[in-house]
Amino acid sequence: MKNIRNFCIIAHIDHGKSTLADRLLESTKTIDAKDMQAQVLDDMDLERERGITIKSHAIQMNYVKDGEAYTLNLIDTPGHVDFSYEVSRSIAACEGALLIVDAAQGIQAQTISNLYMAIENDLEIIPVINKIDLQSAKPDETEDQIVELLGVPRESILRASGKTGEGINEILNAIVEKVPAPKGDPEAPLQCLIFDSVFNSFRGIIAYFKVVNGVIHKGDHVKFIATEKEYDADEVGILKLTMSPRAEIGTGDVGYIISGIKSSREVRVGDTITHVKNAAPKAIDGFEEVKPMVFAGVYPIESEDFENLRSSLEKLQLNDASLTFQPESSMALGFGFRCGFLGLLHMEIIQERLDREFNMDVITTVPNVSYKVYDKKGNCTEVHNPSGLPDPTLIDHIDEPYIRASVITTTQFIGPIMTLCLGKRGILLKQEYISGDRVEIHYDMPLGEIVIDFYDKLKSISKGYASFDYHLHDFRPGKLVKLDILLNSEPVDALSTLTHVDNSTNFGRRMCEKLKELIPRQQFDIAIQAAIGSKIIARETIKAVRKDVTAKCYGGDISRKRKLLEKQKEGKKRMKQIGTVEVPQKAFLAVLKLD
């Protein structure tokens, strides 16, 4: 056990974690040259296309130092703020972390938040400056930032290049020397912490775990403490590039278990595995339940696909524990699910994975956040969906969630970023100069203003130089109103939103204009209205597609033309009574791209 090292790689998005992991796997000869490809641990097509890591991946390497063999368990983690739950799970299974900082970009917001997460879990931090081969690299300035952030001596900061392989051996030596061996008692009752799980259509659900105490053997009779279900360990093993079976897995090691579990409800990330006979007295402290930030309705396009959608979401939830969902129904869209996501990128990825992996065509409604609604008697209800709001006459006040946001940028973009944050009702707390011309700005902002287009706008006004990180802070009373969109006087519940009084008129007007562009013309006039309660605040009309019925009347009396037009008008009126307005999927996402 003293020769096992468990470590993860943490960094901001696009600082070269996956490329550095490739070099570590290459230099320890974990992967044959014929299997080697760029970002070898990113095995999802989506990850390769977008160049981002979505899932954390565990892999075991063997390394020999001074004639002694060491087992290194590496977990590569995502860098985007929407996947920070993946990072927190990886950190729980490790004793050390490589903190990667891009030599050209320096320390960014997600670097700091992932670092704090690692420090809270008492991990040994090894700082590494990556991409030193770039012409734009500024390793000395980056070193200053790291010294200031971590307070470590300069000589302990390693310099490396994931591209050329420079400095990789120094990193491997540092892992062996600095990362502590796992603590645990091989003689104690078995305790394994599940940190991930995947669904395999042939073998059922495969759970990945770290052995905290005890030893697990193939064929053991085990139970999962939280679900109280018992299984036989048909196969246990370690994670190489593929799964490689072993007879037993000892304390401190990371591995997988296959026990023929069919239902996804029986495996919970953060659960503890123990033996049935010599059971552990209590479960390991797992992870706190994830709190979704953004809610959106996901509905099947064909209503008979509802059950297929449910099973697809359950399988996705295994692979991505930060997805939450519950059934709901909508007047316009039928039966579907209310899903909770960690952010807009997370929502986009889930929608894409439903399409690719499960062949599900879905409509996603406008994303919103959860509010606390207090009635006149002082009772509080949590509302995730504007259609779930009680009657306005019964509401005393509504509390909306606020986040504590930190934006790191260069000094030249401070003005536009402050304007953007104030426009989103942000409250400036403080600004600190980190080093040179880099500044960190702290804001309290309503989460509802962030979920739609804040991140995209921030990136565009700062030319990609601003990095953004946030966590939920508290709930505060806000002047919020429910904005309904009516098509031919019928409210479309999937388009209704909760918005601030000051923005409501402008927002309603822009919504109507956008929908006018997106909804196809029908045989009758369509009135698009934005309403707050019974007060209409904006209106647009989509004109009917009309046939020129007077074309055959050349010359002659005007009353003949008038008669034909009146007759056409009657027909249009009748059509309006029986006709329904088809709202295309693009219209539901129109709100996201109003600007």
Side-chain angles (χ1 to χ4, degrees):
M1 195 171 100
K2 69 179 196 320
N3 286 6
I4 295 176
R5 301 286 182 271
N6 298 323
F7 70 100
C8 59
I9 302 184
I10 55 176
H12 190 80
I13 190 166
D14 205 24
H15 278 207
K17 294 178 295 299
S18 301
T19 313
L20 202 74
D22 290 353
R23 295 295 84 77
L24 293 172
L25 296 175
E26 235 176 22
S27 71
T28 54
K29 303 199 170 39
T30 305
I31 294 180
D32 296 335
K34 67 177 193 298
D35 294 333
M36 198 62 211
Q37 53 174 337
Q39 280 92 32
V40 68
L41 292 179
D42 292 350
D43 51 10
M44 226 186 285
D45 294 343
L46 254 171
E47 293 181 312
R48 302 196 149 277
E49 281 168 29
R50 293 177 176 238
I52 56 175
T53 304
I54 295 169
K55 284 284 303 161
S56 48
H57 295 271
I59 191 163
Q60 190 174 94
M61 307 181 284
N62 297 322
Y63 180 62
V64 178
K65 180 176 186 288
D66 304 335
E68 205 166 336
Y70 291 89
T71 302
L72 311 180
N73 290 312
L74 153 71
I75 303 181
D76 179 26
T77 63
H80 195 281
V81 61
D82 282 13
F83 304 111
S84 55
Y85 188 62
E86 288 283 331
V87 183
S88 72
R89 286 165 25 197
S90 309
I91 284 174
C94 294
E95 283 83 35
L98 291 182
L99 178 75
I100 309 289
V101 181
D102 185 330
Q105 298 180 41
I107 285 174
Q108 292 188 285
Q110 200 56 34
T111 319
I112 295 176
S113 87
N114 286 344
L115 171 69
Y116 287 157
M117 216 188 291
I119 291 173
E120 275 168 25
N121 282 289
D122 294 333
L123 298 201
E124 179 64 42
I125 310 286
I126 301 173
V128 178
I129 297 176
N130 192 20
K131 303 193 187 181
I132 56 171
D133 58 310
L134 291 180
Q135 285 186 337
S136 57
K138 301 188 282 260
D140 295 337
E141 286 179 29
T142 310
E143 209 169 76
D144 293 342
Q145 293 174 16
I146 294 175
V147 169
E148 205 163 309
L149 179 69
L150 282 172
V152 293
R154 274 178 195 281
E155 51 278 9
S156 69
I157 300 173
L158 305 174
R159 295 188 179 192
S161 163
K163 201 171 185 180
T164 62
E166 188 182 335
I168 295 298
N169 285 337
E170 287 81 356
I171 293 177
L172 287 165
N173 290 336
I175 291 165
V176 169
E177 288 161 12
K178 293 184 180 174
V179 176
K183 299 179 185 69
D185 181 0
E187 304 301 317
L190 176 71
Q191 282 181 310
C192 306
L193 176 72
I194 299 178
F195 65 88
D196 204 357
S197 54
V198 290
F199 179 78
N200 182 312
S201 45
F202 302 107
R203 314 203 59 180
I205 289 157
I206 303 168
Y208 297 163
F209 59 82
K210 177 192 177 187
V211 186
V212 179
N213 291 311
V215 180
I216 185 168
H217 300 83
K218 181 181 175 175
D220 280 356
H221 194 44
V222 296
K223 78 168 180 184
F224 289 32
I225 291 181
T227 55
E228 296 186 340
K229 294 274 200 292
E230 297 181 7
Y231 308 98
D232 288 320
D234 301 333
E235 181 182 312
V236 294
I238 57 165
L239 299 153
K240 292 283 194 186
L241 193 54
T242 51
M243 293 181 290
S244 104
R246 293 282 187 272
E248 64 171 54
I249 296 183
T251 309
D253 225 335
V254 173
Y256 70 90
I257 177 170
I258 299 177
S259 47
I261 305 170
K262 293 185 180 68
S263 162
S264 55
R265 292 192 190 88
E266 295 174 25
V267 177
R268 300 253 296 278
V269 166
D271 196 357
T272 304
I273 307 174
T274 184
H275 283 131
V276 174
K277 283 189 176 154
N278 180 18
K282 66 179 184 50
I284 308 163
D285 296 334
F287 315 98
E288 71 282 3
E289 282 293 305
V290 59
K291 296 182 184 69
M293 297 279 186
V294 176
F295 294 88
V298 174
Y299 294 86
I301 288 178
E302 303 295 332
S303 53
E304 59 264 24
D305 285 343
F306 176 71
E307 280 305 323
N308 293 350
L309 181 61
R310 183 197 294 272
S311 71
S312 305
L313 283 170
E314 280 177 359
K315 286 171 187 167
L316 262 185
Q317 196 176 31
L318 265 183
N319 201 291
D320 181 351
S322 48
L323 168 70
T324 58
F325 64 92
Q326 63 205 53
E328 72 162 5
S329 63
S330 146
M331 297 279 287
L333 301 169
F335 289 101
F337 293 93
R338 185 110 205 116
C339 296
F341 307 99
L342 294 184
L344 282 186
L345 177 70
H346 187 212
M347 174 175 130
E348 205 179 308
I349 295 290
I350 293 288
Q351 203 177 338
E352 189 85 6
R353 287 182 68 183
L354 280 171
D355 181 30
R356 291 186 185 202
E357 295 171 30
F358 303 100
N359 228 349
M360 294 295 313
D361 280 339
V362 295
I363 286 180
T364 314
T365 65
V366 179
N368 51 38
V369 298
S370 56
Y371 296 91
K372 289 184 176 169
V373 180
Y374 290 87
D375 60 16
K376 296 275 182 7
K377 294 175 183 165
N379 300 327
C380 170
T381 47
E382 199 164 282
V383 173
H384 299 308
N385 192 346
S387 58
L389 271 182
D391 190 270
T393 53
L394 304 174
I395 297 175
D396 181 52
H397 68 279
I398 303 175
D399 282 3
E400 58 178 333
Y402 267 70
I403 57 167
R404 180 67 49 93
S406 80
V407 178
I408 296 183
T409 181
T410 50
T411 44
Q412 70 197 79
F413 301 116
I414 292 181
I417 287 175
M418 284 188 164
T419 311
L420 172 70
C421 293
L422 291 172
K424 298 280 184 190
R425 300 192 282 130
I427 302 159
L428 178 65
L429 299 174
K430 61 176 177 183
Q431 66 183 61
E432 304 171 315
Y433 285 84
I434 304 172
S435 64
D437 64 343
R438 296 168 67 75
V439 65
E440 184 173 8
I441 313 172
H442 296 268
Y443 268 96
D444 275 356
M445 300 168 85
L447 181 60
E449 298 278 347
I450 298 285
V451 295
I452 292 185
D453 54 1
F454 177 78
Y455 194 63
D456 296 346
K457 281 186 178 169
L458 180 71
K459 281 291 182 203
S460 54
I461 62 175
S462 66
K463 301 192 173 74
Y465 277 106
S467 57
F468 169 68
D469 183 53
Y470 63 89
H471 59 268
L472 204 58
H473 186 57
D474 58 2
F475 280 79
R476 302 179 191 181
K479 285 186 175 176
L480 299 168
V481 288
K482 181 183 170 194
L483 181 75
D484 284 314
I485 299 293
L486 314 175
L487 294 180
N488 282 345
S489 313
E490 287 290 316
V492 181
D493 56 356
L495 286 172
S496 57
T497 47
L498 269 177
T499 177
H500 196 263
V501 173
D502 301 347
N503 304 341
S504 57
T505 310
N506 186 19
F507 186 69
R509 193 172 297 131
R510 279 163 44 208
M511 270 295 275
C512 291
E513 286 164 10
K514 192 76 178 175
L515 289 172
K516 185 181 178 181
E517 290 169 29
L518 293 170
I519 294 176
R521 289 171 72 182
Q522 309 277 351
Q523 296 284 337
F524 49 89
D525 283 4
I526 303 172
I528 304 173
Q529 294 165 309
I532 295 173
S534 56
K535 181 183 170 197
I536 304 292
I537 55 170
R539 171 182 170 132
E540 293 285 337
T541 308
I542 300 175
K543 285 293 178 198
V545 182
R546 295 183 58 166
K547 180 180 168 191
D548 188 1
V549 286
T550 58
K552 59 188 178 198
C553 308
Y554 46 92
D557 190 4
I558 184 70
S559 60
R560 177 112 170 77
K561 291 183 180 174
R562 180 75 34 80
K563 187 178 168 191
L564 283 168
L565 288 169
E566 287 298 325
K567 192 174 167 192
Q568 186 186 29
K569 198 168 164 189
E570 283 300 309
K572 295 282 181 203
K573 200 181 267 179
R574 258 203 319 280
M575 281 182 109
K576 186 168 183 173
Q577 284 163 2
I578 58 162
T580 54
V581 185
E582 286 286 311
V583 185
Q585 157 77 12
K586 282 190 300 208
F588 292 111
L589 299 178
V591 193
L592 298 181
K593 304 190 172 66
L594 274 181
D595 298 325

